[in-house]
Amino acid sequence: MSGFISPCCGQLYEIFGRAGGRRLAEQTGVDFLGEVPLEIPVREGGDIGVPIVVSQPESPAALALRAVADAIMARIEVPAGVA
């Protein structure tokens, strides 16, 4: 997770600091896949079983999660005929 996006004003608060995941990935030689902002609808969707990528597909968290999924797909080999 990265920062918290306030539902009141949309401002991003870096409550965990900035770029810690990226630095750790670089230090450990692990691929950095992305940052997902904390948004209340992510938790709400988890509680009711509706992912943010379904309920609010254009939200910052949904876009970030899709980017992470794309980064994972780019790093794995998919067998022929599987899509």
Side-chain angles (χ1 to χ4, degrees):
M1 290 297 182
S2 61
F4 170 71
I5 297 176
S6 171
C8 300
C9 64
Q11 183 172 340
L12 176 68
Y13 294 92
E14 298 287 350
I15 58 177
F16 300 115
R18 181 143 181 85
R22 182 180 301 275
R23 281 192 304 276
L24 180 61
E26 289 171 358
Q27 291 168 356
T28 59
V30 174
D31 289 340
F32 178 75
L33 299 174
E35 297 176 335
V36 180
L38 293 168
E39 291 185 87
I40 291 173
V42 174
R43 193 257 320 146
E44 292 172 338
D47 289 348
I48 62 172
V50 179
I52 190 78
V53 296
V54 172
S55 65
Q56 296 181 29
E58 297 305 314
S59 71
L63 296 173
L65 286 166
R66 270 201 301 285
V68 168
D70 290 344
I72 292 169
M73 289 299 296
R75 287 164 173 78
I76 63 173
E77 186 174 326
V78 178
V82 176

